[in-house]
Tab-separated table of all heavy atoms in Angstrom:
chain	number	residue	atom	x	y	z
X	280	VAL	N	21.921	-74.310	34.911
X	280	VAL	CA	22.057	-73.345	33.808
X	280	VAL	C	22.165	-71.928	34.367
X	280	VAL	O	22.958	-71.111	33.878
X	280	VAL	CB	20.856	-73.463	32.843
X	280	VAL	CG1	20.843	-72.303	31.847
X	280	VAL	CG2	20.906	-74.790	32.095
X	281	ALA	N	21.385	-71.617	35.407
X	281	ALA	CA	21.430	-70.289	36.019
X	281	ALA	C	22.811	-70.001	36.609
X	281	ALA	O	23.309	-68.869	36.527
X	281	ALA	CB	20.357	-70.173	37.109
X	282	VAL	N	23.447	-71.027	37.185
X	282	VAL	CA	24.798	-70.852	37.733
X	282	VAL	C	25.791	-70.517	36.622
X	282	VAL	O	26.590	-69.578	36.736
X	282	VAL	CB	25.246	-72.123	38.482
X	282	VAL	CG1	26.731	-72.043	38.838
X	282	VAL	CG2	24.426	-72.309	39.756
X	283	VAL	N	25.735	-71.285	35.535
X	283	VAL	CA	26.645	-71.030	34.403
X	283	VAL	C	26.401	-69.638	33.832
X	283	VAL	O	27.343	-68.879	33.553
X	283	VAL	CB	26.456	-72.109	33.314
X	283	VAL	CG1	27.287	-71.761	32.079
X	283	VAL	CG2	26.836	-73.482	33.851
X	284	TYR	N	25.136	-69.276	33.673
X	284	TYR	CA	24.773	-67.973	33.124
X	284	TYR	C	25.269	-66.856	34.030
X	284	TYR	O	25.832	-65.854	33.561
X	284	TYR	CB	23.256	-67.898	32.962
X	284	TYR	CG	22.751	-66.622	32.328
X	284	TYR	CD1	22.943	-66.366	30.975
X	284	TYR	CD2	22.082	-65.660	33.086
X	284	TYR	CE1	22.481	-65.203	30.388
X	284	TYR	CE2	21.614	-64.492	32.504
X	284	TYR	CZ	21.813	-64.268	31.164
X	284	TYR	OH	21.360	-63.100	30.593
X	285	ALA	N	25.084	-67.010	35.358
X	285	ALA	CA	25.538	-65.995	36.306
X	285	ALA	C	27.047	-65.828	36.255
X	285	ALA	O	27.568	-64.701	36.314
X	285	ALA	CB	25.091	-66.379	37.722
X	286	PHE	N	27.764	-66.939	36.123
X	286	PHE	CA	29.226	-66.868	36.041
X	286	PHE	C	29.672	-66.170	34.763
X	286	PHE	O	30.552	-65.302	34.786
X	286	PHE	CB	29.821	-68.276	36.095
X	286	PHE	CG	31.309	-68.316	35.882
X	286	PHE	CD1	32.180	-67.946	36.898
X	286	PHE	CD2	31.841	-68.690	34.651
X	286	PHE	CE1	33.559	-67.963	36.698
X	286	PHE	CE2	33.207	-68.711	34.442
X	286	PHE	CZ	34.069	-68.341	35.471
X	287	VAL	N	29.060	-66.512	33.653
X	287	VAL	CA	29.462	-65.943	32.361
X	287	VAL	C	29.233	-64.435	32.319
X	287	VAL	O	30.126	-63.675	31.930
X	287	VAL	CB	28.710	-66.639	31.207
X	287	VAL	CG1	28.916	-65.888	29.893
X	287	VAL	CG2	29.189	-68.078	31.057
X	288	ILE	N	28.051	-63.984	32.753
X	288	ILE	CA	27.795	-62.543	32.658
X	288	ILE	C	28.598	-61.761	33.692
X	288	ILE	O	29.027	-60.634	33.425
X	288	ILE	CB	26.292	-62.217	32.780
X	288	ILE	CG1	25.746	-62.555	34.172
X	288	ILE	CG2	25.491	-62.888	31.701
X	288	ILE	CD1	24.332	-62.069	34.390
X	289	GLY	N	28.838	-62.350	34.860
X	289	GLY	CA	29.629	-61.650	35.868
X	289	GLY	C	31.090	-61.577	35.510
X	289	GLY	O	31.755	-60.561	35.740
X	290	LYS	N	31.607	-62.658	34.922
X	290	LYS	CA	33.035	-62.746	34.616
X	290	LYS	C	33.387	-62.107	33.279
X	290	LYS	O	34.390	-61.378	33.169
X	290	LYS	CB	33.457	-64.223	34.621
X	290	LYS	CG	34.932	-64.462	34.365
X	290	LYS	CD	35.775	-63.968	35.528
X	290	LYS	CE	37.261	-64.279	35.302
X	290	LYS	NZ	38.084	-63.712	36.375
X	291	PHE	N	32.574	-62.361	32.247
X	291	PHE	CA	32.966	-61.954	30.902
X	291	PHE	C	32.151	-60.797	30.338
X	291	PHE	O	32.621	-60.120	29.418
X	291	PHE	CB	32.874	-63.163	29.951
X	291	PHE	CG	33.715	-64.323	30.380
X	291	PHE	CD1	33.136	-65.475	30.894
X	291	PHE	CD2	35.097	-64.265	30.293
X	291	PHE	CE1	33.914	-66.546	31.292
X	291	PHE	CE2	35.891	-65.331	30.691
X	291	PHE	CZ	35.292	-66.482	31.201
X	292	TRP	N	30.927	-60.574	30.853
X	292	TRP	CA	30.111	-59.470	30.348
X	292	TRP	C	30.344	-58.219	31.177
X	292	TRP	O	30.764	-57.188	30.663
X	292	TRP	CB	28.639	-59.877	30.337
X	292	TRP	CG	27.724	-58.851	29.732
X	292	TRP	CD1	27.085	-57.834	30.369
X	292	TRP	CD2	27.374	-58.726	28.351
X	292	TRP	NE1	26.347	-57.088	29.489
X	292	TRP	CE2	26.506	-57.607	28.236
X	292	TRP	CE3	27.693	-59.444	27.197
X	292	TRP	CZ2	25.964	-57.197	27.022
X	292	TRP	CZ3	27.145	-59.033	25.997
X	292	TRP	CH2	26.298	-57.928	25.915
X	293	PHE	N	30.086	-58.299	32.491
X	293	PHE	CA	30.319	-57.150	33.366
X	293	PHE	C	31.785	-57.039	33.789
X	293	PHE	O	32.247	-55.980	34.182
X	293	PHE	CB	29.445	-57.244	34.617
X	293	PHE	CG	27.970	-57.147	34.343
X	293	PHE	CD1	27.066	-57.883	35.086
X	293	PHE	CD2	27.477	-56.318	33.345
X	293	PHE	CE1	25.700	-57.802	34.845
X	293	PHE	CE2	26.121	-56.227	33.091
X	293	PHE	CZ	25.227	-56.969	33.844
X	294	ARG	N	32.501	-58.167	33.770
X	294	ARG	CA	33.921	-58.229	34.120
X	294	ARG	C	34.180	-57.729	35.546
X	294	ARG	O	35.179	-57.055	35.809
X	294	ARG	CB	34.762	-57.427	33.113
X	294	ARG	CG	34.673	-57.973	31.697
X	294	ARG	CD	35.555	-57.224	30.742
X	294	ARG	NE	35.458	-57.787	29.408
X	294	ARG	CZ	36.125	-57.318	28.343
X	294	ARG	NH1	36.943	-56.280	28.494
X	294	ARG	NH2	35.982	-57.884	27.167
X	295	GLU	N	33.300	-58.072	36.445
X	295	GLU	CA	33.456	-57.674	37.844
X	295	GLU	C	33.619	-58.881	38.768
X	295	GLU	O	33.961	-58.723	39.933
X	295	GLU	CB	32.249	-56.852	38.311
X	295	GLU	CG	32.133	-55.509	37.612
X	295	GLU	CD	31.020	-54.647	38.195
X	295	GLU	OE1	30.608	-54.906	39.344
X	295	GLU	OE2	30.566	-53.725	37.501
X	296	LEU	N	33.364	-60.074	38.278
X	296	LEU	CA	33.413	-61.275	39.104
X	296	LEU	C	34.823	-61.868	39.058
X	296	LEU	O	35.313	-62.248	37.999
X	296	LEU	CB	32.395	-62.299	38.590
X	296	LEU	CG	32.186	-63.555	39.440
X	296	LEU	CD1	31.529	-63.194	40.765
X	296	LEU	CD2	31.310	-64.568	38.687
X	297	THR	N	35.464	-61.937	40.221
X	297	THR	CA	36.799	-62.520	40.300
X	297	THR	C	36.691	-63.969	40.776
X	297	THR	O	35.652	-64.411	41.263
X	297	THR	CB	37.681	-61.740	41.284
X	297	THR	OG1	37.141	-61.882	42.613
X	297	THR	CG2	37.712	-60.257	40.917
X	298	PHE	N	37.809	-64.697	40.664
X	298	PHE	CA	37.796	-66.079	41.149
X	298	PHE	C	37.689	-66.121	42.669
X	298	PHE	O	37.165	-67.073	43.242
X	298	PHE	CB	39.044	-66.819	40.651
X	298	PHE	CG	38.987	-67.162	39.190
X	298	PHE	CD1	39.811	-66.514	38.269
X	298	PHE	CD2	38.080	-68.105	38.717
X	298	PHE	CE1	39.746	-66.820	36.920
X	298	PHE	CE2	38.013	-68.422	37.366
X	298	PHE	CZ	38.836	-67.768	36.464
X	299	GLY	N	38.192	-65.066	43.326
X	299	GLY	CA	38.000	-64.958	44.769
X	299	GLY	C	36.527	-64.810	45.124
X	299	GLY	O	36.041	-65.414	46.091
X	300	ASP	N	35.814	-64.026	44.309
X	300	ASP	CA	34.364	-63.896	44.496
X	300	ASP	C	33.666	-65.233	44.302
X	300	ASP	O	32.724	-65.572	45.030
X	300	ASP	CB	33.791	-62.877	43.504
X	300	ASP	CG	34.220	-61.453	43.809
X	300	ASP	OD1	34.422	-61.144	44.990
X	300	ASP	OD2	34.350	-60.659	42.850
X	301	CYS	N	34.120	-65.981	43.299
X	301	CYS	CA	33.514	-67.294	43.039
X	301	CYS	C	33.706	-68.230	44.227
X	301	CYS	O	32.786	-68.978	44.602
X	301	CYS	CB	34.133	-67.922	41.786
X	301	CYS	SG	33.730	-67.054	40.256
X	302	PHE	N	34.889	-68.189	44.813
X	302	PHE	CA	35.153	-69.043	45.977
X	302	PHE	C	34.228	-68.674	47.133
X	302	PHE	O	33.621	-69.553	47.770
X	302	PHE	CB	36.611	-68.916	46.405
X	302	PHE	CG	36.941	-69.675	47.665
X	302	PHE	CD1	37.098	-71.055	47.628
X	302	PHE	CD2	37.064	-69.017	48.878
X	302	PHE	CE1	37.382	-71.768	48.794
X	302	PHE	CE2	37.340	-69.713	50.044
X	302	PHE	CZ	37.509	-71.098	50.000
X	303	MET	N	34.107	-67.364	47.421
X	303	MET	CA	33.242	-66.927	48.516
X	303	MET	C	31.775	-67.238	48.216
X	303	MET	O	30.997	-67.568	49.116
X	303	MET	CB	33.418	-65.428	48.761
X	303	MET	CG	34.782	-65.050	49.335
X	303	MET	SD	35.205	-66.010	50.813
X	303	MET	CE	33.848	-65.586	51.912
X	304	ALA	N	31.402	-67.149	46.935
X	304	ALA	CA	30.026	-67.504	46.547
X	304	ALA	C	29.757	-68.977	46.820
X	304	ALA	O	28.684	-69.352	47.307
X	304	ALA	CB	29.794	-67.185	45.072
X	305	LEU	N	30.738	-69.832	46.522
X	305	LEU	CA	30.600	-71.262	46.796
X	305	LEU	C	30.457	-71.532	48.289
X	305	LEU	O	29.632	-72.351	48.711
X	305	LEU	CB	31.807	-72.026	46.240
X	305	LEU	CG	31.850	-72.227	44.722
X	305	LEU	CD1	33.240	-72.697	44.290
X	305	LEU	CD2	30.786	-73.238	44.288
X	306	VAL	N	31.247	-70.812	49.087
X	306	VAL	CA	31.187	-70.990	50.541
X	306	VAL	C	29.813	-70.591	51.079
X	306	VAL	O	29.177	-71.331	51.841
X	306	VAL	CB	32.298	-70.166	51.234
X	306	VAL	CG1	32.092	-70.162	52.753
X	306	VAL	CG2	33.672	-70.720	50.891
X	307	GLU	N	29.340	-69.410	50.667
X	307	GLU	CA	28.045	-68.923	51.161
X	307	GLU	C	26.889	-69.798	50.667
X	307	GLU	O	25.937	-70.058	51.400
X	307	GLU	CB	27.832	-67.471	50.723
X	307	GLU	CG	28.773	-66.481	51.385
X	307	GLU	CD	28.685	-66.521	52.898
X	307	GLU	OE1	27.552	-66.582	53.435
X	307	GLU	OE2	29.741	-66.529	53.550
X	308	ALA	N	26.986	-70.240	49.414
X	308	ALA	CA	25.937	-71.116	48.878
X	308	ALA	C	25.920	-72.452	49.615
X	308	ALA	O	24.853	-73.023	49.876
X	308	ALA	CB	26.154	-71.350	47.383
X	309	ALA	N	27.107	-72.962	49.959
X	309	ALA	CA	27.185	-74.220	50.715
X	309	ALA	C	26.549	-74.057	52.090
X	309	ALA	O	25.811	-74.952	52.553
X	309	ALA	CB	28.641	-74.660	50.854
X	310	LYS	N	26.807	-72.926	52.737
X	310	LYS	CA	26.203	-72.671	54.056
X	310	LYS	C	24.678	-72.616	53.953
X	310	LYS	O	23.965	-73.231	54.749
X	310	LYS	CB	26.725	-71.351	54.625
X	310	LYS	CG	28.174	-71.372	55.078
X	310	LYS	CD	28.581	-70.000	55.612
X	310	LYS	CE	30.032	-69.961	56.035
X	310	LYS	NZ	30.419	-68.593	56.502
């Protein structure tokens, strides 16, 4: 739920989260 919430507020509320950011977030989280 925290992941979904973080994506929603970053992408649609603050409008600063790009799909490129999401990809890099996935990479860093995987590491």
Side-chain angles (χ1 to χ4, degrees):
V280 169
V282 170
V283 174
Y284 183 72
F286 174 77
V287 169
I288 66 172
K290 182 69 177 176
F291 302 108
W292 185 270
F293 295 144
R294 298 183 179 179
E295 294 186 20
L296 187 67
T297 65
F298 286 110
D300 291 329
C301 292
F302 175 77
M303 291 308 301
L305 285 167
V306 171
E307 292 303 317
K310 289 179 182 178

